[in-house]
């Protein structure tokens, strides 16, 4: 197609229009952000996006490499130079179309993908010039936002309906991306969701200051325009069995039921009032809107809030605590900042907003008052030793290094295990010792018509990896169902 | 969807609602619960299923008016719809032939006890039901229980119906009289705690169905965690029924109070 073909005349002209030296000497664009002091008490989106001028200038930095290494870093295989060059020539809606060829959720990915570990880490600038990479994520967001605000948003073209029914279990990033690809191929897709809103972790997990719910809703509406049906309040394995779905004519099932049981540390006092999982805390605020007066769902607002963990969910939780009015929002992590799995941008934003980083500390006990409410966390000071199985230097307790810190809310954000409902309810489904669904390299389970992806297979990963799984499962299920 | 087709007041604050939910009516088993939500700002609250009519495609819920969310629910009338309803959740009751089973219920806990009594009876057990309440007006489902059970013992705090005394007095009477193989108890946490203490004394295996705070109800948030046999369990997916003798009821009662103060602030929403 002309839109993303590197050999098109317009693209060739564009490449010649600016010298390579000029392109590489342009500094990387800076994201426009709300002021840290103001945003730390507001739910408005922190990143304000790029202006048209900023985006076009940043797009000129992309060298339009003949072998774009950046694409190798993208789990959904976006044609990166293809969309960026459309931005450079000023065709923003076309740029968004290129994104939509492979991604059902470009406005989401542009906001939450760990680009520094994926596409941007493989950028020519980074690999060869040792310079800051092209801001691929910012540009992706720019194109998707422009398209949405232009009123020219068109759902991608779908193949003629083939009359074959398939279902996704879970409406998070994996399920949505699967649904988009299958709808494009002409399948009749139904997405089943356990909660009362569509979007999975994009709704209950990621806070509005990072990903506004309206953005997710627009992407979901797009899928509806493509013919995808959504069934809320339906738990496959409980409300309706996989056998029932088979009997109703579904030929393939993609299980993307995501994260389940939150992990706790099993230390003394962990069930005291005020100690909860990040899933609970974020669900209360993001899905149930407990931060608003109108909501019937309560949330504990602490003065001294500690979040345990170093991932993106921990960052989301600690920044939420600030927005709920915490005077002291602490992030407690047993390793050093270098080992933190969170996106760099989130760490940076959290610090700017006033989060106190207590790295190399690990909770060992919680102490409460007579009503059972937590009042104190006891922390063990740590130091880094030899690298462990994950390749990161493992934390070791410093003997005698124990401190007590006053807290009234503690959010435990040390990971989740897979959702147990589908693994427990489907006879003959092979499940690992960790509770994940076992799949082959085609994402196919021990039941040939059942494919699975996202956290239910990976046991805790990112939005974009889940989306990559959704795409792959769609392609593989299509092959399987069409007899190839 | 989720239309209310019948409503009945069991007492001033206890309401029975029959709701259209064909898939749940078909899939539910004794012991299962649902999550309901009333209004776009509504809270997700867990309620145990009292009965189901697969042919009509309805389930019956019994709710007690306590705070904002339960008032919004119990204020709904026939023809109104629940905003959201999802289930059946939790593990079903282990129904099998035990011999003699004592089913002891208090408050609205009597409602979810009904399908268990029915199931236990069908499985060939002798079923003795002990219903307890503060007074005569608060005894619910007595007629239905009498139709199903071999014997129904009523206990009231003031003696206005049945015998004067607590649920534990009723259970103990049966234990002293005949061999009992299993006790199932559903009611307020404090009641289940004392039932558990009593039956432990007699080495009588006892199952308690716990009703803790939940948000999603599908094993995602961990709000419902309880300590059972020294280990943390999630009521929504590991329960709601557990070996009562292993449950840390004191911790459970403490955790039930987590939002008490915040809930008081919200009472203006129902004009209080």
């Amino acid at each position: 197609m002309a839109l993303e073909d590197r050999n098109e005349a317009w693209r060739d002209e564009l490449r010649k229009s600016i010298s390579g030296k000029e392109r590489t000497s342009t500094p990387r664009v800076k994201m426009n952000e709300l002021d840290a002091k103001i945003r730390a008490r507001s739910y408005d989106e922190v990143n304000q996006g790029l202006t048209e001028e900023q985006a076009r200038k940043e797009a000129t930095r992309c060298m339009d490499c003949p072998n774009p290494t950046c694409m190798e870093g993208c789990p959904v295989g976006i044609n990166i130079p293809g969309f960026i060059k459309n931005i450079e020539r000023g065709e923003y809606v076309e740029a968004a179309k290129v994104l939509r060829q492979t991604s059902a959720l470009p406005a989401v990915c542009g906001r939450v993908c760990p680009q520094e570990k994926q596409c941007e880490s493989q950028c020519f600038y980074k690999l060869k010039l040792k310079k800051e990479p092209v801001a691929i994520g910012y540009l992706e967001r720019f194109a998707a936002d422009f398209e949405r605000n232009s009123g020219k948003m068109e759902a991608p073209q779908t193949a003629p309906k083939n009359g074959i029914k398939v279902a996704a279990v879970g409406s998070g990033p994996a399920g949505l991306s699967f649904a988009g690809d299958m709808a494009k191929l002409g399948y009749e897709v139904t997405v089943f969701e356990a909660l009362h809103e569509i979007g999975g972790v994009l709704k209950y997990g990621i806070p509005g200051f990072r990903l506004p719910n309206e953005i997710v809703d627009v992407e979901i509406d797009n899928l509806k325009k493509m013919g995808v049906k959504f069934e809320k309040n339906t738990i496959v394995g409980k409300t309706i069995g996989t056998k029932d779905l088979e009997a109703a004519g579904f030929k393939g099932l993609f299980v993307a039921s995501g994260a389940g049981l939150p992990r706790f540390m099993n230390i003394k006092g962990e069930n005291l009032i005020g100690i909860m999982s990040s899933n609970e805390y974020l669900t209360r605020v993001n899905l149930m809107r407990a931060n608003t007066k109108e909501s019937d769902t309560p949330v504990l607002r602490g003065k001294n809030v500690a979040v345990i963990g170093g991932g993106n969910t921990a960052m989301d939780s600690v920044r939420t605590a600030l927005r709920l009015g915490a005077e002291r929002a602490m992030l407690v992590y047993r390793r050093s900042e270098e080992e933190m799995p969170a996106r760099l941008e989130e760490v940076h934003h959290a610090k700017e907003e006033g989060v106190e980083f207590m790295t190399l500390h690990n909770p060992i006990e919680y102490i409460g008052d007579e009503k059972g409410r937590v009042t104190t966390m006891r922390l063990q000071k740590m130091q880094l030793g030899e690298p462990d199985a994950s390749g990161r230097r493992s934390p070791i307790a410093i003997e005698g290094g124990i401190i007590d810190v006053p807290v009234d809310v503690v959010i435990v954000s040390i990971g989740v295990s897979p959702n147990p409902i589908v693994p427990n309810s489907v006879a003959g489904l092979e499940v690992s010792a960790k509770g994940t669904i076992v799949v082959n390299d085609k994402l196919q389970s021990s039941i040939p018509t059942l494919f699975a992806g996202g956290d239910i297979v990976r046991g805790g990963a990112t939005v974009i990896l889940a989306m990559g799984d959704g795409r792959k499962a769609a392609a593989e299920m299509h092959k399987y169902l069409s007899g190839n | 969807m989720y239309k209310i087709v019948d409503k009945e007041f069991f007492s001033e604050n206890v309401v029975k609602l029959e709701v259209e939910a064909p898939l749940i009516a078909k899939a539910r088993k004794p012991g299962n619960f649902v999550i309901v939500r009333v209004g776009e700002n509504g809270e997700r609250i867990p309620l145990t299923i009292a009965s189901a009519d697969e042919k009509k495609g309805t389930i019956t819920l019994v709710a007690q008016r306590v705070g904002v969310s339960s008032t919004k629910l119990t204020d709904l009338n026939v023809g109104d719809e629940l905003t959201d309803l999802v289930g059946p959740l939790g593990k079903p009751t282990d129904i099998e032939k035990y011999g003699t089973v004592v089913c002891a219920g208090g408050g609205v806990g009597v409602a979810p006890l009904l399908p268990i009594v029915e199931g236990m009876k069908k499985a060939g057990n002798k079923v003795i039901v002990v219903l307890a309440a503060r007074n005569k007006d608060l005894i619910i489902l007595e007629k239905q229980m009498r139709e199903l059970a071999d014997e129904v013992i009523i206990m009231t705090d003031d003696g206005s119906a049945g015998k004067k005394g607590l649920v534990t007095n009723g259970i103990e009477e049966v234990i002293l009289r005949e061999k009992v193989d299993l006790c199932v108890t559903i009611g307020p946490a404090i009641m289940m705690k004392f039932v558990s203490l009593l039956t432990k004394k007699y080495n009588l295996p006892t199952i308690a169905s716990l009703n803790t705070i939940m948000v999603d109800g599908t094993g995602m948030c961990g709000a419902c965690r309880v300590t059972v046999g020294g280990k943390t369990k999630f009521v929504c997916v590991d329960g709601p029924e557990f070996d009562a003798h292993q449950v840390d009821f004191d911790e459970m009662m403490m955790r039930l109070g987590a939002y008490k103060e915040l809930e008081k602030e919200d009472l203006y929403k129902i004009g209080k």
Side-chain angles (χ1 to χ4, degrees), chain A residues 28 65 67-75 80-81 114-129 131-134 136:
Chain A
R28 177 178 157 118
C65 306
N67 293 308
T69 42
C70 53
M71 286 176 65
E72 289 161 25
C74 177
I80 293 168
Q115 288 97 1
E116 78 263 17
K117 288 182 189 153
Q118 295 172 345
C119 52
E120 293 182 14
S121 76
Q122 303 297 312
C123 175
F124 172 76
Y125 279 71
K126 185 90 184 167
L127 295 180
K128 294 287 187 301
L129 305 180
K131 283 188 175 180
E132 281 200 291
V134 174
I136 302 169

Side-chain angles (χ1 to χ4, degrees), chain A residues 10-72:
Chain A
W10 69 265
R11 194 94 167 245
D12 196 41
E13 264 171 48
L14 203 62
R15 275 195 296 276
K16 289 179 189 152
S17 66
I18 303 172
S19 72
K21 201 174 168 196
E22 199 182 332
R23 289 183 192 273
T24 55
S25 58
T26 305
R28 177 178 157 118
V29 69
K30 293 259 180 299
M31 175 54 82
N32 308 309
E33 294 169 353
L34 283 185
D35 180 78
K37 280 208 182 78
I38 296 169
R39 74 182 193 231
R41 304 288 168 187
S42 127
Y43 283 85
D44 292 338
E45 200 179 357
V46 170
N47 283 351
Q48 294 287 294
L50 301 181
T51 63
E52 212 178 310
E53 198 188 336
Q54 285 175 313
R56 278 187 88 163
K57 192 167 180 197
E58 181 64 20
T60 65
R61 292 183 71 225
C62 169
M63 300 297 280
D64 201 5
C65 306
N67 293 308
T69 42
C70 53
M71 286 176 65
E72 289 161 25

Side-chain angles (χ1 to χ4, degrees), chain B residues 140-243:
Chain B
I140 64 169
L141 294 166
E142 183 186 346
K143 185 174 155 269
Q144 289 88 333
M145 287 294 189
R146 288 203 187 278
E147 281 164 14
L148 295 168
D150 293 276
E151 183 186 350
V152 176
I153 298 169
I154 307 282
M155 303 297 302
T156 50
D157 292 3
D158 63 0
S160 55
K163 289 178 188 159
K164 187 174 171 172
L166 299 170
V167 71
T168 40
N169 303 123
I171 300 169
E172 194 161 26
E173 179 193 311
V174 182
I175 296 174
L176 295 174
R177 183 182 78 190
E178 63 188 286
K179 183 178 171 290
V180 179
D181 301 287
L182 180 75
C183 175
V184 182
T185 181
I186 312 182
I190 183 85
M191 182 202 104
M192 294 192 284
K193 176 187 167 176
F194 282 102
V195 169
S196 174
L197 286 173
L198 170 83
T199 58
K200 203 172 184 174
K201 201 168 78 184
Y202 292 100
N203 271 327
L204 169 58
T206 300
I207 294 165
S209 176
L210 311 185
N211 191 357
T212 51
I213 293 171
M214 292 186 190
V215 186
D216 68 292
T218 63
M220 211 178 71
C221 80
C224 64
R225 62 195 197 275
V226 288
T227 303
V228 182
K231 288 202 176 105
T232 295
K233 296 277 179 190
F234 297 104
V235 172
C236 66
V237 287
D238 297 323
E241 294 175 4
F242 294 98
D243 175 351

